[in-house]
């Protein structure tokens, strides 16, 4: 999804719900730092969502996330999905689809 307006529209749909944003990445590895950098910027904006800077070990945060039982969980990470650099994509999955 190259159009950031579309991403903002998707995020706007989350208003009023409990949201956890998990940011994943390594600040020592170039573009892999996107997760921690986004987390830092969102923290400065004082957003209402619960932020987790998971670094390179997101699995360490599974239990705290389960305990909070958010309605929505957003993951911020750098991946190579064949698009141009700096392309953002917004994918939505149900829990059932992720664990099946």
């Amino acid at each position: 999804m190259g159009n950031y307006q579309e991403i903002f529209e998707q995020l706007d749909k989350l208003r009023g719900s409990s949201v956890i944003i998990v940011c994943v990445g390594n600040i020592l590895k170039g573009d892999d730092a996107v997760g921690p950098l986004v987390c830092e910027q969102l923290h400065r904006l004082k957003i209402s969502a619960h932020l987790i800077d998971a670094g390179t070990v997101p699995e360490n945060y599974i239990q705290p996330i389960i305990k909070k039982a958010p309605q929505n969980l957003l993951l911020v990470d750098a991946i190579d999905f064949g698009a141009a650099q700096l392309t953002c994509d917004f994918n939505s999955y149900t829990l059932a689809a992720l664990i099946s």
Side-chain angles (χ1 to χ4, degrees), residues 44-93:
R44 286 184 186 161
L45 293 172
K46 300 182 190 262
I47 64 168
S48 62
H50 181 81
L51 291 171
I52 297 175
D53 183 352
T56 60
V57 288
E59 61 275 13
N60 289 352
Y61 297 89
I62 293 172
Q63 287 304 317
I65 292 168
I66 290 170
K67 286 180 183 175
K68 287 196 176 286
Q71 291 172 304
N72 294 284
L73 175 66
L74 300 178
L75 299 172
V76 178
D77 196 2
I79 62 168
D80 181 358
F81 60 99
Q85 287 183 338
L86 301 176
T87 299
C88 292
D89 198 11
F90 194 99
N91 290 297
S92 179
Y93 302 97

Side-chain angles (χ1 to χ4, degrees), residues 22-37 52-61 76-78:
V22 179
C23 301
V24 181
N26 184 339
I27 60 170
L28 301 177
K29 292 197 173 188
D31 63 350
D32 193 44
V34 71
L37 293 174
I52 297 175
D53 183 352
T56 60
V57 288
E59 61 275 13
N60 289 352
Y61 297 89
V76 178
D77 196 2

